[in-house]
Amino acid sequence: MTGGIRRVWLLSWLLLGSEAAGETPVQQRSDPRREEHWEAVACFGTAVWQGRHGRLMTAARFLEESLRREPQAAAVRRELARIYEELEQLPAAIRQLQTVRKTRRDDRLAAEHLCRLLRELGLTDEVADLAREALKGEVPPPDWAAAIRLARYWAETAPTAAEKEPAWRRVLHWTVEKRNEGVQAAVWTPRRADLEAAQAWEALSRVLLEQDRLAEAEQARLAAERLYRRGEEEQGWLRLYALRAELAARQKQWAVAVQEQRRYLEAAQPDEVQPYRRYVQWMQQAGRSAAEVTAELQRLYEQSRESPAVGGVLAVEWGRHSATRQRAEQLAERLLQRGVDKIVLQELLRGWIEQGRGLDVLRWLERTVAPGRNAPEPPSGTAPQRAHLTLERAHLFLRALLAEPNLAEQWLRQVQGAVPSAEAAFFLGHLAEQLGQWALADHFYRQSAERIPAAQRDAVLLRRVEVLRRLQRWEEVAEVCQRRVQDGPAAGRHVFLWHQALALAHRGQHQTAEALAQKAREATPAAEQVAASLQQARLWAAMGQAEAALELLDCLLKESLTGAERQAVHAARAQLLQQQGKRSAARLAWQAVLRQDPDHAAACRELALLLAEEEEGDLAQAEQLARHARYAAAWQRRLLQQPQPLDALTTAVLGRVLFRQKRLDAARQLLETAAALPEAKRDRRIWLWLADVYESVGESAKAAAARQRSQTLPPPP
């Protein structure tokens, strides 16, 4: 046995097997349960060794085997969650940590890991609740370090200043009042405790400032300053200049605010936009002219060696006046060519769009998504590398715009009458689709399809067909597909034949739809015959032949299918049963999907909804499924690099479940969050559920408005 394996085995014994230390080997081997326990220990030790050497899949298999032998082992589940996270299987990691939390509410290591994963997925509303719950009761000294991290998660994700304050006071309780006790217990060093306390005092000062408790905020700031200076933490006490400026601004002492903010910006040179934007606002409040403001920004820009953050603010301020607009455009061009992050790009976009210069933004977009057409291509790199760079820039552009949906919609209106390139028109159509602006999406996709090269046209046409389906403009769907079938290449023709058949079925032309379906099936490649059968089932369902569709799907399940194909058939069958009102059969079908994939977001969501709407439904299980649907959907959106981490429908379903549990405040918050997302324009149920909540709390006017809004939305296709 090598030294590394011996150390890992000893660690495993300490974590899982120490409870058997008092038994003799004969006693251990005579008990089958004890043999099973030691097998679990051996699997765990092997898994830890494999994981430390980068063999993650092997480590996961050994950990799963260890759990099979000893399901209650929290250490195994925590390690398995870590491995799943490294494998980018975040929903599976979350499931393991939640299982630990069910049996061991005081396991703060699992709670901390779970908070971190949820925050990475953008589910900040759940992070604050989880961290707060994990810190209930007395926290023993060995847990103080984890508890401080939990308190930070609580404070960073709590929605209001009043909810942030108790989190930071808990940190101060441990790092100030219990400081010496923590040092003696080797929880932290004195320097580390003082740094944690200083950061907590600084954060608490900002929280108190938000609540206009200015005297208390100043006391907290002074406490932070003493600790930062004692520990010689330069960046810490430099940030306090900005805090002093905020305190002065709250008291409308604009000259003092400008002076303190200048000291902060000159000394710290932050790479964020907000401090410079705040500095501009305070200079304007102090009576500085536009020329003085831009001169000061230019000085800071040169001093910071052309920082993009201050450069973006300077370009926006120059752009406000015709005399300096050319300088603004030149500076913005330099920043864009050099590459900027999302926040700086947001600042530039916001400034240009608010100034009514949407066409200038469109020219930027043209150079981003169509290099070589309106501007030289990047000077170096292979063609795939240049294409990847173009894609990254376009994605950055999209994320910056979707971060402020109202601003993005304003820009789309400004460029609606323009004639963009095919690539830019596709980008604009995609942006409009993400915002739920279906008519605008169709307008831009149509422009793109008319100009884009033939090799890329099918992708644009399919996006346009999806938008027209959302608008239920079946005649146009059929027309677009027919034109593509007649004029386009043979490859991919079957896809448009299926869409055309489905559109005609919705228009009541069933015989023609059947004839087209037959042509589509004949044109479908052999490798896609299962997909063709699924399309046939959808077609029959649209024609009112649900029983025939179900019979076809049942026959498919008897064939030899791959795992992905079987899952797709089960999901289609469940959806059809649910549409037919066969709730019990639909529930069983969704459960079949989850047996294959416990992290299937749609299955978790729809099964949760079915349970919630039943008279005697299991609402606790419905809540568990709805929450996991949110995790799985957020993970999928992260993999797809979606700008918005929240999925509107899964968020609304959780709100609906909580409404059925009579937890009206939580349900209202979730449903209002879902309704504010652009995707809420895709499903009228979100607004109907929100109306139910408003009626339950006696707000009949809001309920009527929500119901009226639901009537303006098309049903999901």
Side-chain angles (χ1 to χ4, degrees):
M1 183 181 291
T2 66
I5 295 177
R6 187 181 299 112
R7 285 193 296 273
V8 169
W9 190 91
L10 179 60
L11 173 64
S12 307
W13 179 81
L14 289 170
L15 288 171
L16 295 178
S18 57
E19 61 189 60
E23 300 181 10
T24 66
V26 174
Q27 289 173 326
Q28 292 174 17
R29 292 181 181 177
S30 63
D31 186 351
R33 289 175 300 177
R34 184 52 52 194
E35 291 182 8
E36 196 79 356
H37 170 75
W38 285 112
E39 287 291 337
V41 172
C43 287
F44 179 71
T46 305
V48 171
W49 188 84
Q50 296 283 358
R52 296 301 183 268
H53 287 76
R55 300 165 189 157
L56 301 180
M57 295 297 293
T58 304
R61 285 197 297 270
F62 275 105
L63 288 167
E64 289 163 357
E65 177 62 20
S66 181
L67 277 181
R68 188 184 68 79
R69 297 175 181 276
E70 197 152 283
Q72 301 303 317
V76 179
R77 291 193 183 276
R78 287 198 302 266
E79 180 66 13
L80 184 55
R82 188 188 69 79
I83 295 294
Y84 280 154
E85 181 186 4
E86 290 196 44
L87 290 170
E88 278 293 324
Q89 298 178 18
L90 266 61
I94 289 172
R95 274 192 286 110
Q96 297 299 328
L97 295 170
Q98 285 179 320
T99 302
V100 175
R101 291 278 300 151
K102 283 180 185 176
T103 56
R104 299 180 57 174
R105 307 301 293 180
D106 61 343
D107 193 323
R108 294 181 177 87
L109 289 175
E112 180 206 347
H113 192 179
L114 186 54
C115 280
R116 180 167 57 78
L117 293 181
L118 293 177
R119 190 177 68 168
E120 286 181 12
L121 291 176
L123 304 175
T124 55
D125 54 336
E126 298 201 25
V127 174
D129 293 338
L130 173 62
R132 188 187 304 111
E133 181 186 351
L135 292 176
K136 286 181 179 177
E138 188 64 28
V139 180
D143 283 358
W144 284 354
I148 286 175
R149 292 191 291 271
L150 281 167
R152 284 185 176 277
Y153 286 133
W154 173 5
E156 290 167 2
T157 56
T160 65
E163 293 178 72
K164 297 174 190 286
E165 182 179 348
W168 291 119
R169 292 201 181 277
R170 292 292 295 274
V171 175
L172 291 171
H173 168 73
W174 291 311
T175 57
V176 177
E177 298 175 25
K178 301 287 187 179
R179 174 182 182 274
N180 294 335
E181 188 177 341
V183 171
Q184 293 172 359
V187 176
W188 46 55
T189 63
R191 180 181 175 84
R192 183 64 192 175
D194 288 347
L195 178 59
E196 291 282 2
Q199 292 172 347
W201 280 120
E202 180 187 352
L204 180 61
S205 178
R206 296 184 188 281
V207 166
L208 295 169
L209 182 61
E210 287 183 52
Q211 302 176 72
D212 286 325
R213 294 157 62 182
L214 302 184
E216 294 175 75
E218 175 62 15
Q219 291 175 0
R221 188 197 65 77
L222 290 172
E225 185 174 3
R226 284 194 297 270
L227 291 171
Y228 279 137
R229 291 191 180 279
R230 182 199 299 173
E232 298 181 350
E233 291 290 336
E234 182 181 8
Q235 289 301 314
W237 58 260
L238 283 179
R239 286 196 305 271
L240 297 182
Y241 287 140
L243 186 53
R244 276 209 296 257
E246 291 178 50
L247 282 163
R250 279 297 176 110
Q251 301 172 69
K252 298 186 177 180
Q253 298 174 359
W254 305 116
V256 177
V258 168
Q259 179 184 355
E260 295 297 332
Q261 190 73 354
R262 183 191 301 118
R263 294 176 67 185
Y264 168 62
L265 295 176
E266 290 176 343
Q269 296 186 359
D271 56 359
E272 301 169 348
V273 167
Q274 189 57 38
Y276 297 100
R277 172 53 54 201
R278 192 178 291 130
Y279 187 42
V280 169
Q281 293 169 352
W282 292 340
M283 283 193 289
Q284 291 169 343
Q285 291 286 349
R288 303 286 180 87
S289 67
E292 290 175 314
V293 169
T294 53
E296 175 65 6
L297 286 173
Q298 188 174 7
R299 183 184 69 81
L300 290 172
Y301 181 58
E302 293 168 355
Q303 185 186 65
S304 66
R305 298 181 181 178
E306 301 188 349
S307 163
V310 63
V313 178
L314 175 59
V316 170
E317 294 305 312
W318 268 343
R320 296 186 191 280
H321 308 283
S322 57
T324 53
R325 189 158 293 169
Q326 185 176 1
R327 299 177 70 184
E329 292 176 358
Q330 292 171 349
L331 175 56
E333 288 292 342
R334 287 202 303 273
L335 292 172
L336 291 170
Q337 289 174 5
R338 205 186 324 165
V340 295
D341 62 17
K342 187 185 82 168
I343 303 301
V344 176
L345 183 56
Q346 275 180 242
E347 176 70 14
L348 290 169
L349 293 174
R350 187 187 306 111
W352 259 235
I353 293 169
E354 288 177 349
Q355 294 166 23
R357 301 169 63 193
L359 293 178
D360 291 336
V361 175
L362 180 58
R363 283 195 290 272
W364 288 353
L365 176 65
E366 296 278 6
R367 287 188 284 274
T368 297
V369 300
R373 185 166 304 196
N374 300 297
E377 292 193 9
S380 62
T382 64
Q385 289 172 336
R386 291 196 298 270
H388 180 68
L389 178 61
T390 298
L391 185 61
E392 283 188 341
R393 288 174 176 172
H395 186 66
L396 177 65
F397 219 101
L398 182 68
R399 287 191 295 124
L401 285 164
L402 288 177
E404 298 187 54
N406 292 335
L407 192 70
E409 290 182 10
Q410 182 181 347
W411 179 52
L412 287 175
R413 289 192 295 270
Q414 289 176 2
V415 300
Q416 185 174 359
V419 184
S421 68
E423 294 87 354
F426 181 80
F427 179 96
L428 293 167
H430 181 60
L431 175 62
E433 187 179 359
Q434 292 289 309
L435 294 168
Q437 299 288 336
W438 310 116
L440 276 176
D442 176 49
H443 168 74
F444 288 119
Y445 280 144
R446 186 173 64 252
Q447 285 187 332
S448 180
E450 291 169 355
R451 303 186 184 96
I452 205 158
Q456 302 168 359
R457 188 169 298 131
D458 280 1
V460 181
L461 290 175
L462 286 173
R463 294 312 314 158
R464 188 179 177 212
V465 165
E466 177 61 26
V467 167
L468 292 172
R469 289 180 63 213
R470 290 281 181 186
L471 293 167
Q472 295 187 313
R473 286 155 55 175
W474 301 113
E475 185 176 358
E476 290 184 60
V477 172
E479 181 184 340
V480 169
C481 293
Q482 183 177 9
R483 192 180 306 120
R484 162 59 181 85
V485 169
Q486 291 174 348
D487 302 337
R493 183 176 296 166
H494 62 287
V495 176
F496 292 91
L497 282 169
W498 282 118
H499 280 299
Q500 186 182 0
L502 191 60
L504 293 175
H506 280 288
R507 297 192 65 206
Q509 300 177 21
H510 294 172
Q511 289 184 348
T512 309
E514 282 280 18
L516 285 172
Q518 181 61 35
K519 289 183 181 179
R521 182 175 283 280
E522 291 171 358
T524 301
E528 300 178 26
Q529 284 303 312
V530 173
S533 297
L534 290 174
Q535 291 282 22
Q536 184 70 65
R538 295 188 185 101
L539 179 65
W540 283 342
M543 294 165 58
Q545 301 176 25
E547 294 302 324
L550 287 171
E551 185 178 347
L552 173 59
L553 294 174
D554 289 337
C555 290
L556 273 178
L557 290 173
K558 296 175 184 177
E559 297 180 7
S560 177
L561 304 175
T562 66
E565 289 172 341
R566 188 168 297 277
Q567 186 182 94
V569 174
H570 275 301
R573 186 172 178 276
Q575 289 171 346
L576 184 54
L577 289 167
Q578 197 167 343
Q579 290 168 4
Q580 296 298 309
K582 299 178 179 179
R583 304 176 66 85
S584 297
R587 187 170 65 249
L588 293 174
W590 285 122
Q591 288 170 346
V593 176
L594 289 178
R595 280 194 295 272
Q596 286 187 275
D597 180 9
D599 302 318
H600 194 289
C604 290
R605 180 190 70 221
E606 297 302 326
L607 188 53
L609 191 57
L610 285 169
L611 290 171
E613 298 296 351
E614 290 179 354
E615 289 296 329
E616 301 296 330
D618 187 342
L619 295 180
Q621 185 187 4
E623 181 183 355
Q624 180 181 344
L625 285 165
R627 290 192 184 280
H628 197 68
R630 284 190 89 203
Y631 308 151
W635 173 62
Q636 290 171 359
R637 296 175 74 87
R638 174 180 165 178
L639 292 179
L640 295 172
Q641 297 187 335
Q642 294 283 350
Q644 171 55 253
L646 294 182
D647 178 78
L649 185 55
T650 54
T651 299
V653 166
L654 178 57
R656 181 65 175 176
V657 171
L658 298 184
F659 169 75
R660 296 282 292 163
Q661 293 178 346
K662 309 299 183 186
R663 294 158 62 182
L664 298 182
D665 289 341
R668 177 176 183 164
Q669 181 178 355
L670 283 165
L671 284 163
E672 287 180 340
T673 298
L677 296 171
E679 291 176 348
K681 297 174 183 177
R682 300 184 182 184
D683 200 317
R684 62 174 59 166
R685 291 177 295 178
I686 295 173
W687 295 93
L688 292 173
W689 295 337
L690 182 58
D692 288 343
V693 172
Y694 285 147
E695 284 183 352
S696 297
V697 297
E699 298 185 19
S700 54
K702 287 187 176 181
R707 292 192 189 282
Q708 186 176 3
R709 180 66 184 275
S710 73
Q711 293 172 4
T712 65
L713 302 177

Short mmCIF file of all heavy atoms in Angstrom, two decimals, residues 4 58 136 169 172 233 315 412 522 539 577-578 604 608 624 639:
data_model
loop_
_atom_site.label_atom_id
_atom_site.label_comp_id
_atom_site.label_asym_id
_atom_site.label_seq_id
_atom_site.Cartn_x
_atom_site.Cartn_y
_atom_site.Cartn_z
N GLY A 4 0.20 7.44 -0.32
CA GLY A 4 -1.00 8.21 -0.66
C GLY A 4 -2.25 7.42 -0.38
O GLY A 4 -3.22 7.93 0.19
N THR A 58 -14.64 7.73 -12.49
CA THR A 58 -14.37 6.56 -11.64
C THR A 58 -14.69 6.88 -10.19
O THR A 58 -15.30 6.06 -9.47
CB THR A 58 -12.90 6.14 -11.78
OG1 THR A 58 -12.62 5.89 -13.15
CG2 THR A 58 -12.61 4.89 -10.98
N LYS A 136 -29.79 29.09 12.10
CA LYS A 136 -30.67 29.11 13.26
C LYS A 136 -30.03 28.34 14.42
O LYS A 136 -29.34 27.36 14.22
CB LYS A 136 -32.02 28.47 12.90
CG LYS A 136 -32.90 29.35 12.04
CD LYS A 136 -34.23 28.67 11.75
CE LYS A 136 -35.13 29.57 10.91
NZ LYS A 136 -36.40 28.90 10.56
N ARG A 169 -24.54 41.40 11.39
CA ARG A 169 -24.39 41.44 12.86
C ARG A 169 -24.01 40.06 13.40
O ARG A 169 -23.31 39.96 14.41
CB ARG A 169 -25.66 41.97 13.51
CG ARG A 169 -25.90 43.46 13.20
CD ARG A 169 -26.82 44.12 14.18
NE ARG A 169 -27.05 45.52 13.84
CZ ARG A 169 -26.24 46.53 14.15
NH1 ARG A 169 -25.10 46.29 14.80
NH2 ARG A 169 -26.55 47.78 13.82
N LEU A 172 -20.30 39.84 12.97
CA LEU A 172 -19.62 40.64 13.99
C LEU A 172 -19.68 39.96 15.36
O LEU A 172 -18.75 40.07 16.16
CB LEU A 172 -20.25 42.03 14.07
CG LEU A 172 -19.98 42.91 12.84
CD1 LEU A 172 -20.82 44.18 12.89
CD2 LEU A 172 -18.50 43.25 12.75
N GLU A 233 -4.42 47.00 5.67
CA GLU A 233 -5.17 46.57 4.50
C GLU A 233 -5.49 47.79 3.65
O GLU A 233 -6.51 48.46 3.83
CB GLU A 233 -6.47 45.85 4.92
CG GLU A 233 -6.25 44.51 5.58
CD GLU A 233 -5.75 43.46 4.60
OE1 GLU A 233 -6.00 43.62 3.38
OE2 GLU A 233 -5.12 42.49 5.04
N ALA A 315 -17.03 58.42 -22.79
CA ALA A 315 -17.62 58.40 -24.13
C ALA A 315 -19.09 58.78 -24.09
O ALA A 315 -19.58 59.52 -24.95
CB ALA A 315 -17.45 57.01 -24.74
N LEU A 412 -34.78 48.38 -30.39
CA LEU A 412 -35.44 47.70 -31.51
C LEU A 412 -36.40 48.63 -32.23
O LEU A 412 -36.50 48.61 -33.47
CB LEU A 412 -36.17 46.46 -31.01
CG LEU A 412 -35.30 45.27 -30.60
CD1 LEU A 412 -36.15 44.16 -30.01
CD2 LEU A 412 -34.50 44.75 -31.79
N GLU A 522 -41.37 9.77 -45.95
CA GLU A 522 -40.55 9.15 -47.00
C GLU A 522 -39.22 9.88 -47.17
O GLU A 522 -38.20 9.25 -47.50
CB GLU A 522 -41.32 9.17 -48.32
CG GLU A 522 -42.54 8.24 -48.33
CD GLU A 522 -43.39 8.43 -49.57
OE1 GLU A 522 -43.05 9.32 -50.40
OE2 GLU A 522 -44.41 7.72 -49.71
N LEU A 539 -48.93 15.51 -35.13
CA LEU A 539 -49.86 15.85 -36.21
C LEU A 539 -51.25 15.29 -35.92
O LEU A 539 -52.26 15.98 -36.04
CB LEU A 539 -49.32 15.33 -37.54
CG LEU A 539 -50.20 15.59 -38.76
CD1 LEU A 539 -50.30 17.08 -39.04
CD2 LEU A 539 -49.65 14.85 -39.98
N LEU A 577 -51.06 13.12 -22.89
CA LEU A 577 -52.01 12.69 -21.86
C LEU A 577 -52.46 13.88 -21.02
O LEU A 577 -53.64 13.99 -20.66
CB LEU A 577 -51.39 11.61 -20.98
CG LEU A 577 -51.19 10.23 -21.64
CD1 LEU A 577 -50.27 9.37 -20.78
CD2 LEU A 577 -52.54 9.54 -21.84
N GLN A 578 -51.52 14.76 -20.70
CA GLN A 578 -51.85 15.93 -19.90
C GLN A 578 -52.80 16.86 -20.67
O GLN A 578 -53.75 17.40 -20.09
CB GLN A 578 -50.56 16.67 -19.53
CG GLN A 578 -50.71 17.65 -18.38
CD GLN A 578 -49.36 18.09 -17.85
OE1 GLN A 578 -48.34 17.48 -18.11
NE2 GLN A 578 -49.35 19.18 -17.10
N CYS A 604 -40.02 17.39 -14.07
CA CYS A 604 -40.17 17.87 -12.68
C CYS A 604 -41.25 18.95 -12.61
O CYS A 604 -42.10 18.94 -11.70
CB CYS A 604 -38.85 18.42 -12.17
SG CYS A 604 -37.57 17.19 -11.87
N ALA A 608 -44.91 18.40 -10.83
CA ALA A 608 -45.22 19.27 -9.70
C ALA A 608 -46.56 19.96 -9.89
O ALA A 608 -47.38 20.06 -8.96
CB ALA A 608 -44.11 20.31 -9.52
N GLN A 624 -41.03 20.06 -3.69
CA GLN A 624 -39.69 19.52 -3.93
C GLN A 624 -39.42 19.41 -5.43
O GLN A 624 -38.34 19.79 -5.91
CB GLN A 624 -39.57 18.15 -3.27
CG GLN A 624 -38.23 17.48 -3.46
CD GLN A 624 -38.18 16.11 -2.80
OE1 GLN A 624 -39.01 15.76 -1.98
NE2 GLN A 624 -37.19 15.31 -3.19
N LEU A 639 -25.76 26.31 -19.28
CA LEU A 639 -25.04 25.58 -20.32
C LEU A 639 -25.23 26.25 -21.69
O LEU A 639 -24.32 26.27 -22.51
CB LEU A 639 -25.51 24.13 -20.38
CG LEU A 639 -25.16 23.24 -19.19
CD1 LEU A 639 -25.72 21.84 -19.39
CD2 LEU A 639 -23.65 23.19 -18.96
#
